[in-house]
């Protein structure tokens, strides 16, 4: 049985804690004093109840312990899509699934959709290495961006891609990352050390705040 997805996650960048409240689809940081108290209360990167109390995050105390995100993710290279042809049927599937995820996010909210995704990603027991079939799916999502712009749609695009990859028995992770100055958030999919729908250079600009 999959452990429920907490409604709060966080990472630390340059001595600043950044939080993602999944229930409200809201990123936030703490006032300077509360941030210092929170960081001082972390134990090996884990926020127990006292750390959340010290930061004034009493509403999230029941979620403790929460571990800072960002470790263990080391993308090395982008997936090789050379040799993948242009597939109208796969492109249509990519567009359809992305629109379906957009509608579901609007109706059900971020926490529910990501909880469902986590269950899908964890429920697949047979794992196959990334191969030609999976590369064709990734290429279809890339080509779909020529039909419908992928700008500001990284989240539904990544969720839709990850679901199809999981259904094809390829282990993958969806990663939401953030950067501090200026603040920005981004989302992409990885299969091990392979980046599927982002460049290594772009992903390196962000620190993971949620890893599924």
């Amino acid at each position: 049985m999959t452990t429920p997805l907490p409604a709060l996650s966080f990472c630390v960048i340059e001595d600043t804690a950044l939080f993602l409240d999944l229930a409200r689809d809201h990123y936030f940081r703490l006032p300077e004093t509360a941030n210092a108290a929170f960081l001082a209360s972390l134990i090996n990167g884990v926020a127990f109840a006292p750390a959340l109390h010290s930061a004034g995050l009493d509403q999230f105390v029941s979620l403790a312990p929460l571990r800072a995100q960002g470790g263990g993710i080391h993308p090395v290279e982008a997936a090789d899509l050379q040799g993948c042809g242009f597939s109208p049927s796969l492109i249509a599937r990519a567009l359809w699934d992305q629109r379906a995820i957009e509608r579901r996010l609007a109706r059900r909210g971020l926490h529910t959709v990501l909880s469902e995704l986590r269950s899908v990603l964890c429920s697949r027991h047979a794992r196959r290495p990334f191969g030609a079939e999976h590369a064709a799916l990734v290429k279809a999502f890339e080509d779909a961006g020529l039909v419908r712009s992928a700008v500001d749609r990284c989240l539904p695009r990544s969720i839709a891609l990850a679901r199809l990859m999981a259904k094809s028995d390829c282990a993958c992770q969806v990663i939401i990352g953030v950067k501090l100055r200026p603040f920005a958030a981004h989302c992409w999919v990885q299969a091990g050390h392979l980046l599927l729908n982002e460049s290594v250079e772009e992903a390196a600009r962000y620190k993971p705040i949620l890893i599924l």
Side-chain angles (χ1 to χ4, degrees):
M1 185 175 181
T2 306
T3 304
L5 179 66
L8 183 73
S9 63
F10 77 98
C11 68
V12 179
I13 304 176
E14 299 175 11
D15 293 326
T16 299
L18 292 173
F19 297 84
L20 170 56
D21 181 346
L22 294 171
R24 297 173 57 202
D25 191 3
H26 173 64
Y27 296 91
F28 66 93
R29 56 189 291 186
L30 300 168
E32 186 174 344
T33 301
N35 179 72
F38 178 78
L39 294 179
S41 299
L42 294 178
I43 301 175
N44 295 324
V46 178
F48 293 93
L52 295 170
H53 278 303
S54 70
L57 299 174
D58 295 0
Q59 70 271 36
F60 297 111
V61 167
S62 63
L63 302 178
L66 293 172
R67 179 173 294 279
Q69 301 288 288
I73 296 296
H74 304 290
V76 175
E77 59 183 315
D80 183 4
L81 305 183
Q82 292 185 7
C84 295
F86 188 86
S87 172
S89 62
L90 285 180
I91 292 171
R93 177 69 185 274
L95 291 169
W96 176 272
D97 284 12
Q98 181 179 305
R99 289 296 298 268
I101 293 298
E102 290 173 356
R103 291 192 294 268
R104 190 153 186 81
L105 283 166
R107 291 196 310 266
R108 303 297 302 278
L110 183 63
H111 191 211
T112 296
V113 173
L114 292 185
S115 295
E116 294 169 346
L117 174 64
R118 190 186 193 198
S119 295
V120 170
L121 297 180
C122 292
S123 66
R124 298 286 167 165
H125 301 294
R127 302 295 190 182
R128 291 187 289 153
F130 185 86
E133 174 188 355
H134 309 119
L137 287 174
V138 175
K139 179 64 161 52
F141 273 81
E142 181 178 285
D143 291 340
L146 302 175
V147 180
R148 185 171 184 256
S149 174
V151 176
D152 296 329
R153 295 190 175 104
C154 61
L155 179 63
R157 179 170 171 252
S158 294
I159 294 173
L161 173 59
R163 289 178 66 91
L164 286 179
M165 294 291 289
K167 290 176 181 178
S168 296
D169 291 330
C170 181
C172 64
Q173 294 175 298
V174 170
I175 299 167
I176 297 178
V178 291
K179 64 186 185 75
L180 188 58
R181 296 185 180 88
F183 175 81
H186 192 34
C187 185
W188 65 89
V189 184
Q190 280 184 221
H193 68 282
L194 291 177
L195 279 159
L196 304 188
N197 61 343
E198 190 49 89
S199 68
V200 174
E201 294 75 17
E202 183 65 14
R205 297 174 60 213
Y206 297 85
K207 184 165 186 179
I209 194 170
L210 181 64
I211 303 168
L212 296 172

